[in-house]
Amino acid sequence: MSKKRVLSGIQPTSDSFHLGNYLGAVKQWVELQDSHDAFYCIVDLHALTVETDPALLRQRTLASAAQLLALGISPEKSTLFVQSQVPQHNQLGWIMECMAGFGEASRMTQFKDKSAKAGSDSARVGLFTYPMLQAADILLYQADLVPVGEDQRQHIELTRDLAGRFNARYGQTFQLPEAYILKAGAKINDIQDPTAKMSKSSGSVAGVIEIMDTPEANLKKIKSAITDAGREVTFDPIEKPGISNLLTIHSALSGRTIADLENEFAGKGYGDFKAGVAEVVVEYLRPIRQRALDLLSDEKHLIEILHAGSAKAREVASTTLEATYKGLGVVS
Ligand code: TYM
């Protein structure tokens, strides 16, 4: 039996990915590449929905590739590519826009949040059509699974709806994808405001653990993480959101159970606990950051990897686009 297909994407909107990106998504990408036919995409077109600086976009696209490789994505196992190098994404994106209702697109919570923040005069039309381009990203590859964090669930549901609608009207064309969202790590919170998700766009600098930050900076951040009332290190996301978030992070990186960690830190207080979490995070990220820096020092090699990935992606994407056009009755 042939392997099931996985696709996911990440925006190059920051100099560094953060722990939420890794634990919510990329860690699963790495695991799934062994058992699945994996396609992973740096979604640079999606990044254009906010103001971008040309030099920064280029730098961040390459930094994204370097980090994904450093985190364990292997170009031998996975197809790692850049969205803008596969024009079929825009082409199917338009068709998905024509399949989507204005009402259902208006109900996307990420659109509502981001456009409210930007204000209606500065929010881009691309922010509104963003989920339909994301649907195209997924459907072009006939993906069975889409490993993402909880905040993407609604976009995957929309993708399923659009695919189902197209199939019903024009004949079976698209695989209906399923969101692959692990319980632990699905939502990593800001360590200064543990009721809000860790985020590149809205998080405070002090609340976001960045993969490319120096070990010293991350050590300091985690030691200054906000804690909760009480003194016991116990997992209780309602009463102790700060401690619970740190327990989740420790557990995901150390591979130890939450119960085991609660035992270890019983009676020890929050200071010792934060020092323990800091050590785990810093030592986990130290070699990854170094690998990413090494990879970034050879841009030519990085670009070759991305070109090879994009060429493979175009083959799959063009087959799906042809079938889509045929279904629609487009004269070829
Ligand atoms: P992006 O670039 O914002 O984030 C990349 C991945 O990281 C996850 N994530 C988190 N998970 C847990 N806790 C957090 N605090 C946290 N913050 C981010 C996201 O859920 C995501 O999986 N729309 C997507 C990019 C995209 C895409 C796609 C994803 C474009 N096309 C096709 C899957 C399939 C996004 O903005 O991710």
Side-chain angles (χ1 to χ4, degrees):
M1 216 177 74
S2 64
K3 285 184 180 170
K4 289 210 168 195
R5 181 76 54 81
V6 166
L7 175 126
S8 199
I10 191 159
Q11 296 193 70
T13 41
S14 164
D15 294 333
S16 175
F17 296 150
H18 56 67
L19 262 190
N21 298 134
Y22 178 56
L23 296 179
V26 178
K27 191 160 181 280
Q28 284 67 259
W29 297 13
V30 174
E31 283 158 14
L32 288 166
Q33 69 181 348
D34 286 320
S35 47
H36 288 70
D37 184 16
F39 285 76
Y40 299 128
C41 181
I42 299 168
V43 291
D44 55 348
L45 298 172
H46 276 117
L48 303 180
T49 53
V50 291
E51 182 70 48
T52 48
D53 172 89
L56 269 185
L57 181 66
R58 180 177 197 282
Q59 170 60 24
R60 289 173 170 177
T61 302
L62 294 174
S64 297
Q67 288 173 85
L68 290 174
L69 295 167
L71 287 165
I73 299 298
S74 151
E76 278 85 48
K77 295 181 190 168
S78 297
T79 303
L80 176 63
F81 68 103
V82 181
Q83 186 186 34
S84 60
Q85 293 177 8
V86 186
Q88 288 82 4
H89 288 246
N90 305 69
Q91 292 172 291
L92 188 63
W94 171 253
I95 292 165
M96 288 300 131
E97 285 174 34
C98 296
M99 296 303 298
F102 202 83
E104 68 187 340
S106 307
R107 284 192 291 277
M108 293 296 113
T109 53
Q110 287 220 321
F111 165 69
K112 288 198 282 188
D113 291 350
K114 290 188 179 171
S115 57
K117 242 177 234 157
S120 56
D121 284 342
S122 28
R124 312 287 168 90
V125 173
L127 204 56
F128 185 65
T129 57
Y130 181 117
M132 283 61 84
L133 180 59
Q134 180 165 351
D137 298 341
I138 298 168
L139 298 176
L140 275 176
Y141 300 91
Q142 308 288 357
D144 299 287
L145 286 185
V146 187
V148 284
E150 184 60 44
D151 61 355
Q152 297 301 312
R153 189 186 291 278
Q154 196 187 27
H155 289 167
I156 315 300
E157 284 304 315
L158 176 72
T159 302
R160 283 176 69 88
D161 290 346
L162 297 178
R165 196 172 302 159
F166 189 100
N167 289 346
R169 281 194 201 155
Y170 302 108
Q172 178 61 38
T173 309
F174 300 116
Q175 170 69 31
L176 263 53
E178 266 177 50
Y180 180 86
I181 301 175
L182 292 193
K183 242 202 192 137
K187 184 168 177 247
I188 299 297
N189 289 331
D190 185 296
I191 63 170
Q192 285 300 326
D193 176 9
T195 54
K197 80 168 177 180
M198 191 177 280
S199 157
K200 345 183 207 208
S201 51
S202 55
S204 59
V205 176
V208 177
I209 310 274
E210 298 200 333
I211 285 164
M212 298 307 284
D213 245 353
T214 61
E216 295 72 31
N218 276 335
L219 189 74
K220 208 165 140 208
K221 275 188 194 174
I222 298 168
K223 287 195 169 169
S224 328
I226 215 101
T227 49
D228 309 297
R231 306 176 55 206
E232 289 302 308
V233 176
T234 48
F235 188 79
D236 181 345
I238 305 292
E239 296 297 326
K240 292 184 182 247
I243 295 297
S244 304
N245 190 39
L246 293 175
L247 276 168
T248 301
I249 290 172
H250 189 316
S251 166
L253 294 179
S254 64
R256 294 171 57 189
T257 63
I258 300 270
D260 187 19
L261 296 174
E262 285 173 338
N263 268 338
E264 177 183 339
F265 291 103
K268 287 208 181 125
Y270 292 159
D272 281 355
F273 172 58
K274 286 198 283 184
V277 176
E279 156 125 15
V280 166
V281 172
V282 165
E283 292 317 318
Y284 194 95
L285 294 182
R286 190 191 297 276
I288 291 169
R289 170 175 185 268
Q290 193 51 53
R291 262 202 305 280
L293 289 173
D294 292 346
L295 284 157
L296 261 177
S297 68
D298 189 353
E299 273 192 12
K300 197 168 153 265
H301 178 61
L302 274 180
I303 289 172
E304 272 167 19
I305 291 176
L306 294 173
H307 280 170
S310 298
K312 272 170 75 186
R314 278 193 299 271
E315 271 179 41
V316 177
S318 61
T319 304
T320 304
L321 189 71
E322 270 169 37
T324 310
Y325 277 167
K326 196 159 174 240
L328 284 166
V330 167
V331 174
S332 58

